Amino acid sequence: MDRLKRKADLFLAEWKQRPDHMPLILKGARQVGKTETIRHFAKNYYEYLVEINFTLQKQYRSIFDDGFEVDTIIRNISLRNPDLEFVPGKTLIFFDELQDCINCATSLKAFREDGRYDVICSGSLMGIHYQEIESNSVGNKEDCEMYSLDFEEFLWAKGYHESQIEEMYQKMLSVTPLSSTEYSVMLEAFREYMVLGGMPAIVFSFVTKKNYSGTLKMQRQILLDYEEDITKYAGGLNKGRILNVYRKIPMFLGQDNKRFQISKVAKNARNREYVGTVEWLDNAGIISVCCCLQQPELPLKGNSNPNLYKIYFRDTGLLIGSLDEEAQEDLRFNQNFNIYKGALYENIIADMLVKQGYELYFFRNERGSLELDFLVRDKNSLVPIEVKAEDNRAASLTKIITGKKYTDVQYGIKFANRNIGCNGQFYTFPYFLAFLLRRFLRERLPLT
């Protein structure tokens, strides 16, 4: 195996097949595999690849100085490297590390109108100023966000076939329990995924070596790289305050209610001093923000309290990497995933929801007597979700489904260490099937 199969491979193939496809910006956090994926795509679909990295090849940052006409840009590129070939209809131009040459975005309109060459831009979300890009290229580009591997991609990396995953999904759809072998094998794979996360280099190391050797070091290096990038790209925001927020996420997740509070980030910290810091980390693809709904009802957007929220790591492996070495050993050798007050399970379900395109919402009433970890929706109703570190009763789930005043709720979902089932009020699924939730909610049969 020379590389990991990614869902972005299929997206890029479909993008190329569209006759009216526009220049593409593939965005995502650092080290999620963007560059490797684009190179693999180019190798399979083009005769010629022109790749320019604006971080490593600073001399190319000036190729737009003479204007944004395509012929002018190509002439300037060729002056710097006459060996590059530009053949209409057969060439992909790949501008990498877009954040270090924002002028490149302005050229996308010219490339779209010219139509001779396909163009893909890529860069770290942490460094790309998307408001600036939008003003330069609105209507002339397509955006796609790439994440670290989801659990399905992790299963592909381990050698599982799509037919095996489809068989599990059909049991989910028909509410048929998995066999004991299916359950135990998938749970073991899921626990590996919890410890590792989905960063491609880490997963590749694990599946080729077949052990965890070196993976913790890799996780911690990525965390340090993120800190370095915060100090490099934070712009006008206070870098120290962004780091304060970033470093305190594990502490808040270890608390019972997991709510993030700026006042507890640093001594005498005030909300007005931290305006924009959480949003910056979210936009950078490092964290996911889960907002509290004012009421558990539709619509979800516009019904949330911006001052009440939880923060999750976008990749659970990075949460694992932020823990102390004793916790690491407990997780890897004893598989004691309950030591962290359910934070690991909650974080990974949050990650799996985000990778399906969901925005995150939760609900907790003032008395704390009703608390739902996540809320999503299907075509007709609000769907509450509870995540259980143990297979305890889902009291809040039962209360909101049976409560007469919660008219938007018809059924719920419980994720736990438990086989597929349904009690007439909510479905119970093992954690590892969460990556199939969106498809299930689209295709499920009505409860009887």
Side-chain angles (χ1 to χ4, degrees), residues 33-72:
K34 301 182 295 297
T35 299
E36 182 184 356
T37 297
I38 295 168
R39 286 174 179 164
H40 177 76
F41 166 66
K43 181 179 178 181
N44 289 328
Y45 288 91
Y46 297 88
E47 291 185 34
Y48 304 96
L49 170 65
V50 175
E51 178 179 345
I52 293 172
N53 184 308
F54 290 119
T55 299
L56 300 179
Q57 300 168 298
K58 297 179 181 179
Q59 67 271 25
Y60 285 98
R61 295 181 188 177
S62 62
I63 60 176
F64 309 104
D65 288 356
D66 299 321
F68 297 99
E69 292 185 356
V70 171
D71 287 333
T72 301

Side-chain angles (χ1 to χ4, degrees), residues 96-358:
D96 202 3
E97 303 296 356
L98 178 63
Q99 72 275 4
D100 285 327
C101 186
I102 297 299
N103 275 343
C104 178
T106 307
S107 72
L108 299 184
K109 179 179 180 180
F111 277 108
R112 182 187 68 80
E113 293 176 345
D114 181 88
R116 286 177 290 166
Y117 310 102
D118 286 348
V119 177
I120 297 180
C121 301
S122 179
S124 166
L125 278 171
M126 194 175 289
I128 292 179
H129 305 288
Y130 269 95
Q131 289 182 341
E132 191 172 341
I133 287 179
E134 289 291 352
S135 65
N136 288 335
S137 56
V138 62
N140 296 292
K141 65 176 177 62
E142 181 176 350
D143 288 298
C144 175
E145 184 167 355
M146 188 172 178
Y147 303 100
S148 63
L149 277 78
D150 67 13
F151 184 56
E152 185 171 18
E153 291 172 308
F154 180 75
L155 292 177
W156 293 344
K158 284 178 63 69
Y160 290 98
H161 300 291
E162 292 181 11
S163 59
Q164 294 170 296
I165 296 170
E166 180 64 23
E167 187 175 342
M168 281 197 300
Y169 173 71
Q170 290 303 323
K171 289 189 175 182
M172 185 180 184
L173 188 62
S174 61
V175 197
T176 303
L178 301 169
S179 71
S180 58
T181 300
E182 286 174 317
Y183 192 95
S184 60
V185 169
M186 283 298 111
L187 182 61
E188 177 62 28
F190 183 72
R191 285 172 169 165
E192 292 170 351
Y193 179 66
M194 284 184 73
V195 169
L196 294 164
M199 288 300 185
I202 295 172
V203 173
F204 188 81
S205 172
F206 177 77
V207 297
T208 52
K209 294 179 181 177
K210 302 189 185 304
N211 61 56
Y212 292 105
S213 173
T215 57
L216 174 57
K217 183 179 179 181
M218 296 169 75
Q219 287 171 336
R220 289 184 169 168
Q221 186 58 54
I222 292 174
L223 289 166
L224 290 173
D225 289 344
Y226 280 179
E227 291 203 7
E228 183 179 329
D229 278 357
I230 288 170
T231 63
K232 181 178 179 181
Y233 292 118
L237 292 173
N238 185 298
K239 299 168 185 177
R241 288 172 185 157
I242 296 177
L243 287 171
N244 283 345
V245 172
Y246 174 63
R247 291 167 178 167
K248 288 295 194 302
I249 296 170
M251 180 193 78
F252 285 101
L253 285 176
Q255 297 177 355
D256 286 330
N257 67 11
K258 300 176 181 61
R259 179 186 159 196
F260 198 90
Q261 294 174 275
I262 291 295
S263 60
K264 295 182 181 179
V265 166
K267 187 176 181 180
N268 300 321
R270 298 173 183 173
N271 282 316
R272 67 173 181 267
E273 298 169 341
Y274 280 78
V275 170
T277 55
V278 172
E279 291 81 0
W280 191 90
L281 288 166
D282 188 13
N283 291 335
I286 298 174
I287 65 168
S288 295
V289 177
C290 183
C291 293
C292 184
L293 294 181
Q294 295 177 352
Q295 293 296 330
E297 60 189 26
L298 296 173
L300 290 169
K301 287 190 175 181
N303 178 27
S304 61
N305 184 340
N307 298 316
L308 294 176
Y309 56 89
K310 296 186 281 189
I311 293 178
Y312 299 103
F313 274 95
R314 191 71 65 90
D315 184 275
T316 300
L318 299 186
L319 171 59
I320 298 288
S322 71
L323 303 179
D324 56 60
E325 290 189 15
E326 290 74 18
Q328 291 278 347
E329 291 180 5
D330 202 7
L331 289 168
R332 282 177 165 80
F333 300 114
N334 302 325
Q335 295 192 337
N336 183 14
F337 292 94
N338 298 333
I339 60 169
Y340 204 44
K341 298 188 177 179
L344 297 178
Y345 290 106
E346 225 176 277
N347 198 106
I348 201 162
I349 296 298
D351 182 42
M352 295 169 95
L353 293 175
V354 168
K355 287 173 178 173
Q356 293 172 77
Y358 284 113

